[in-house]
């Protein structure tokens, strides 16, 4: 395992060109990924983006707008889970109007191409972080990837998912800890996960919204 780790942390650039560039990495300014969990409507997304933009501009905060067009992991079949692929049009409008990079996850490998055509950062859901077909589809977008650690995964085993992405040609990855199962349905955050994952060689994000 020692030979699989590194002390060098890669810098990941998100956006640029027609939207502001957000750089994630060691010694870089703190940045946030912000937005409603799922895209509910165009009006709601634009309202949230405008509100967040004003706050971030006031405090000079670097940020990426996040909202998912299809939350396929909802516990109930009757739960609202997004607008489907048409939600990408809303993300594109947010991106254009506020010149902010955008991110969404996808839960079907066939959706990877469409997601990458709009999003500056492509997210791989925690539950699917080991799925080779998903990792390949995400890497094929040629966009930086946001890889969330599964609730069932140890931090050092995230190395295996990262190595798959590297094998598929992706060298720009942000790893995220979003909690680990503690008993049933309860998530806790083990802060030692952050430096362990950082040793894999990529910047690490902390998601406190689920725990």
């Amino acid at each position: 395992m020692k030979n699989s780790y590194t002390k060098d942390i890669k810098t990941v650039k998100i956006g640029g060109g027609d939207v502001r560039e957000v750089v994630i990495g060691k010694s870089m300014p703190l940045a946030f990924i912000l937005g409603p969990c799922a895209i509910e409507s165009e009006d709601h997304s634009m309202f949230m983006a405008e509100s967040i933009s004003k706050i971030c501009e006031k405090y000079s905060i670097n940020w990426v707008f996040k909202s998912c067009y299809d939350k396929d992991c909802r516990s109930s079949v009757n739960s609202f889970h997004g607008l489907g692929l048409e939600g990408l049009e809303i993300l594109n409008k947010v991106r254009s109007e506020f010149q902010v990079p955008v991110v969404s996850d996808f839960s079907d490998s066939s959706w990877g191409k469409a997601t990458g055509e709009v999003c500056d950062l492509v997210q791989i859901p925690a539950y699917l972080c080991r799925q080779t077909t998903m990792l390949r589809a995400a890497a094929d977008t040629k966009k930086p990837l946001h890889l969330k650690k599964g609730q069932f995964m140890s931090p050092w085993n995230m190395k295996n998912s990262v190595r798959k992405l590297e094998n598929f040609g992706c060298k720009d990855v942000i790893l995220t800890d979003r909690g680990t199962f503690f008993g049933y349905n309860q998530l806790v955050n083990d802060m030692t996960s952050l430096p362990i994952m950082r040793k894999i060689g990529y910047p690490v994000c902390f998601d406190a919204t689920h725990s």
Side-chain angles (χ1 to χ4, degrees):
M1 182 175 289
K2 182 178 180 181
N3 293 332
S4 299
Y5 282 158
T6 178
K7 292 183 179 180
D8 297 325
I9 306 299
K10 186 175 178 63
T11 297
V12 177
K13 297 180 179 179
I14 304 167
D18 54 344
V19 298
R20 70 173 58 92
E21 182 178 80
V22 176
V23 183
I24 310 292
K26 188 176 181 180
S27 301
M28 299 305 299
L30 181 65
F32 290 86
I33 299 173
L34 304 167
C37 183
I39 296 174
E40 298 179 17
S41 68
E42 180 176 318
D43 287 344
H44 181 257
S45 295
M46 298 304 288
F47 168 77
M48 292 296 293
E50 182 179 13
S51 300
I52 296 169
S53 180
K54 288 179 179 178
I55 295 170
C56 291
E57 287 179 10
K58 179 179 179 179
Y59 294 102
S60 300
I61 294 172
N62 294 316
W63 69 294
V64 178
F65 182 84
K66 181 265 181 185
S67 199
C68 297
Y69 59 83
D70 191 297
K71 296 297 294 183
D72 201 34
C73 61
R74 295 295 193 222
S75 57
S76 171
V77 70
N78 298 315
S79 295
F80 175 77
H81 56 90
L83 301 179
L85 285 170
E86 67 180 80
L88 285 170
E89 298 177 10
I90 296 173
L91 276 180
N92 199 34
K93 185 172 181 179
V94 169
R95 185 181 187 276
S96 176
E97 185 155 330
F98 297 97
Q99 289 82 54
V100 62
V102 299
V103 56
S104 176
D105 65 23
F106 67 102
S107 52
D108 184 316
S109 59
S110 67
W111 300 345
K113 185 175 185 295
T115 306
E117 288 174 350
V118 171
C119 293
D120 304 276
L121 177 67
V122 173
Q123 182 170 295
I124 301 166
Y127 280 115
L128 300 175
C129 68
R130 292 182 60 166
Q131 300 301 108
T132 302
T133 53
M134 288 292 296
L135 295 171
R136 186 191 300 273
D140 284 347
T141 68
K142 307 302 181 185
K143 294 295 181 69
L145 303 182
H146 185 207
L147 179 62
K148 305 190 81 172
K149 182 180 81 65
Q151 301 90 321
F152 48 88
M153 291 276 284
S154 64
W156 48 85
N157 279 337
M158 288 298 287
K159 166 177 56 69
N160 298 322
S161 294
V162 169
R163 299 302 176 238
K164 287 183 182 181
L165 290 173
E166 291 174 337
N167 184 68
F168 299 144
C170 178
K171 308 298 182 182
D172 294 306
V173 181
I174 300 169
L175 297 167
T176 286
D177 181 36
R178 46 96 74 203
T180 299
F181 283 138
F182 180 75
Y184 294 102
N185 299 325
Q186 300 297 315
L187 291 178
V188 296
N189 289 113
D190 176 5
M191 294 304 176
T192 65
S193 292
L194 304 179
I196 291 171
M197 288 199 294
R198 191 169 59 197
K199 290 180 181 178
I200 298 172
Y202 294 91
V204 176
C205 175
F206 174 59
D207 181 352
T209 61
H210 300 282
S211 322

